[in-house]
Amino acid sequence: MKEYLIKSGSEVDLSKWDPDDKRLCPEGKIEGLKSLLEINHDLEMLQELLYAENKHRVLIILQAMDTAGKDGTIRHVFDGVNPQGVRVASFKQPTAEELAHDYLWRVHKQTPGTGQITIFNRSHYEDVLVVRVHSLVPKEVWSRRYEHINNFERLLADEGTTILKFYLHIDADEQKERLQSRLDEPDKRWKFDPGDLKERALWPKYIKAYEDVLSKTSTPWAPWYIIPANRKWYRNLLVGKIIVETLKGLNMSYPEVSFDPAKITIE
Amino acid sequence: MKEYLIKSGSEVDLSKWDPDDKRLCPEGKIEGLKSLLEINHDLEMLQELLYAENKHRVLIILQAMDTAGKDGTIRHVFDGVNPQGVRVASFKQPTAEELAHDYLWRVHKQTPGTGQITIFNRSHYEDVLVVRVHSLVPKEVWSRRYEHINNFERLLADEGTTILKFYLHIDADEQKERLQSRLDEPDKRWKFDPGDLKERALWPKYIKAYEDVLSKTSTPWAPWYIIPANRKWYRNLLVGKIIVETLKGLNMSYPEVSFDPAKITIE
C-alpha cells in the first residue's frame, strides 16, 4: 500500500494523482467486492482482539471534498464490526462553547481510549481547509496550525495511538455526477444542500489547501494516504486494506489470564 | 410484542417469566435467524430515515445479569446498521469526577441528539441494582431513586426521545454454562473475571432488585420489556422486532426540500 502513502516532507500535486486508479485490483469491481468481504471479516476479528487486549488506541481520520464518500467509506469498510468497538466523531460547525476554546480542544476530547477505534468524519484539518478557504482567520493564524497539528498528533502517537489519515480523492466531474444524482433521486434529495454549490465553486482553492495539508502534515507517526475515490468499491477496498494491514502490524494477542481455569468451579 | 411489555404499575415476579420462551417463533432457530436478517435490513433503512428526518431521538437501555448477552444483542441486532447512526454508551464503575456529581449527571450527558440512536449498555439502573445489592448507599438513598429515574425519563420523553428498556432474562443454570464456556475456550478466557463468581453468589438479591426496577419504573413513556434470553437467537429476534416496530410507529418521512430540483444546474 506504499503507493498511496505520502512520504514525510514530499510535495503533493493532486493533479498527478489519478482518482480512477485501481492498480491493486485490476480485475475490477466484482473481485474488489469479494476482497472487501474478507476485509470486513478480518476487521471484525481484529477489532475484537484490539478490545480484548486493551492496549492500543486507533484513530482514523477521513477528509475529502463533499460527496467523495466519507460516510460511505465508514459504512462499507466497517460493515459487520461490533458497533460497540467503533465510535464515529463528526466535526461540524463548531458550537459557541467550542469556538471559545482553541481549535484542538473539541478534537482532543474525542480521541480514542485504549482498546478503541475512533473514526473522525472531518477533523481538526478543517481548521486549515474550510477556515483557510473562507478566510475565517487571517493567514498568519492558520499557517502556524500545521505545526500545532503535527505536534498534537505526535503526542497522541507517543502515548499509544495509532493514527491513519485518508484523503478520499475524487475529481470535479465525479462530484458533479454525484450532486446531480442527489437531485434526481427523491430519497437522496435531503442530502443536497444548495450551499454545496458555493463550496464547489471554490474547488481550486480547496485543492490547493488540501495539497498543503498533505505536504505539511504527513508524518511517520501520522501518515496521510491519498485514496483514489472515483470508484467507490476501490476506495472502500483500499481504506479497508490499509486499516487491516496496520492492525495486523500491531502484533496483538489475547491477554493472559491471572488465574488457572482448571482450578475454578462455578457453583 | 405486548406479551413482553410490563404494564405500568404491575408487580413483576421473575420466577413466572420463562427464560426459554420462544412463543413468537415456535418454528425454532433457523426461522428465527432468517427473520433476524429481515429485521437487520429494516433497521438499517429506519436508522437512515431517522437520521435524514432529524426529528426524533431514540434511547435503548439494556440491563441484565452478567453473560445474559448485552454485548451480543448490540452486535447482532444492529448488524449492518451504519456505525455513524448508532452510538453505544457503556456505564462502568463511575470515575472520581462522576462520583462527585449526582448519579444521573454522567447519564444525561450521553443521551441521544435528534436523528440519533443511543444504546445504553448498563445505565442509571445500576444505581438501584449493584448499588443496592452491595449497600453502596443506604436504603433511604437508593429507594427514592425510582422516582428520580421516572421523572428523568419523563423529561427526555417529553422533549422528543423515544425510550425502550430491555431486561434480558436468563436463569442461573444458563449463566453457569456461559461462565463455564468462557473458562473452557482460550479465546474467551479474557472475558472471565473471577469476581463474576462473587456477583453470581448474589443472584437472589439481584433478582429481587430487578423485580423492583421492573415493577416501579415501567412507564407509558419508558416501558420495560422482559426478553427471554436463554436462547440467543430468540433474544436478538425479539429485541430487534420491538425496536423495528417502534421506529415504524414514528411515521417518519424524508424531509421536504426547500428548493426546486429542476431549477438547479450544477456547473
Side-chain angles (χ1 to χ4, degrees), chain A residues 44 48 52 71 75 79-80 84 90 121 176 179-180 189-190 192 194 200 254-255 257 259 261 266-267, chain B residues 44 48 51-52 71 75 79-80 84 90 121 176 179-180 189-190 192 194 200 254-255 257 259 261 266-267:
Chain A
E44 192 177 341
E48 177 160 339
D71 294 345
R75 184 155 187 176
D79 195 22
Q84 209 159 191
S90 295
N121 184 343
K176 183 176 178 177
L179 286 171
Q180 191 63 52
R189 212 163 276 158
W190 64 275
F192 188 90
R200 178 169 164 79
Y254 283 99
V257 296
F259 51 84
I266 302 166
E267 305 290 343
Chain B
E44 191 177 341
E48 177 159 340
Y51 178 81
D71 293 347
R75 185 157 188 173
D79 194 23
Q84 208 158 192
S90 295
N121 184 344
K176 182 176 178 178
L179 286 171
Q180 191 64 51
R189 211 162 277 158
W190 63 276
F192 187 89
R200 177 170 164 80
Y254 282 98
V257 295
F259 50 84
I266 302 166
E267 304 292 342

Side-chain angles (χ1 to χ4, degrees), chain A residues 5-201:
Chain A
L5 174 75
I6 307 305
K7 262 181 42 191
S8 182
S10 57
E11 283 293 314
V12 173
D13 173 352
L14 281 171
S15 70
K16 298 205 171 122
W17 290 77
D18 178 10
D20 282 305
D21 172 77
K22 54 168 184 171
R23 83 188 95 152
L24 292 190
C25 190
E27 307 88 334
K29 185 170 179 176
I30 305 294
E31 273 314 303
L33 292 176
K34 274 191 215 162
S35 303
L36 183 61
L37 285 180
E38 282 167 42
I39 282 167
N40 288 151
H41 180 261
D42 286 353
L43 196 53
E44 192 177 341
M45 298 296 119
L46 286 161
Q47 181 276 321
E48 177 160 339
L49 187 52
L50 182 89
Y51 178 81
E53 197 189 43
N54 197 29
K55 181 172 152 191
H56 299 281
R57 308 160 185 166
V58 178
L59 174 60
I60 295 165
I61 297 178
L62 295 178
Q63 284 287 160
M65 301 287 199
D66 289 336
T67 77
K70 296 182 295 296
D71 294 345
T73 301
I74 294 170
R75 184 155 187 176
H76 295 288
V77 172
F78 288 88
D79 195 22
V81 174
N82 187 348
Q84 209 159 191
V86 177
R87 203 167 51 83
V88 181
S90 295
F91 294 94
K92 312 213 163 150
Q93 286 230 354
T95 64
E97 190 193 17
E98 288 168 351
L99 281 173
H101 296 79
D102 72 83
Y103 66 98
L104 292 175
W105 179 79
R106 66 172 182 160
V107 174
H108 207 160
K109 288 205 284 187
Q110 300 277 6
T111 50
T114 44
Q116 297 179 344
I117 299 174
T118 299
I119 305 168
F120 281 3
N121 184 343
R122 302 186 186 275
S123 66
H124 44 294
Y125 285 99
E126 292 298 334
D127 292 287
V128 284
L129 289 163
V130 64
V131 165
R132 167 181 174 173
V133 168
H134 287 278
S135 301
L136 301 182
V137 301
K139 180 174 183 181
E140 68 197 59
V141 173
W142 60 253
S143 60
R144 62 191 177 216
R145 289 184 172 173
Y146 303 104
E147 201 180 335
H148 302 157
I149 289 174
N150 287 340
N151 292 338
F152 170 64
E153 291 175 352
R154 179 71 186 248
L155 160 76
L156 299 180
D158 281 352
E159 296 288 321
T161 303
T162 298
I163 304 173
L164 291 172
K165 303 185 294 199
F166 299 103
Y167 170 65
L168 310 180
H169 182 40
I170 60 169
D171 58 27
D173 289 344
E174 181 68 22
Q175 189 189 52
K176 183 176 178 177
E177 268 182 43
R178 293 186 186 184
L179 286 171
Q180 191 63 52
S181 80
R182 286 186 182 178
L183 280 178
D184 296 344
E185 294 171 41
D187 274 9
K188 281 191 182 175
R189 212 163 276 158
W190 64 275
K191 290 186 185 174
F192 188 90
D193 174 357
D196 293 346
L197 297 182
K198 286 187 197 145
E199 293 300 293
R200 178 169 164 79

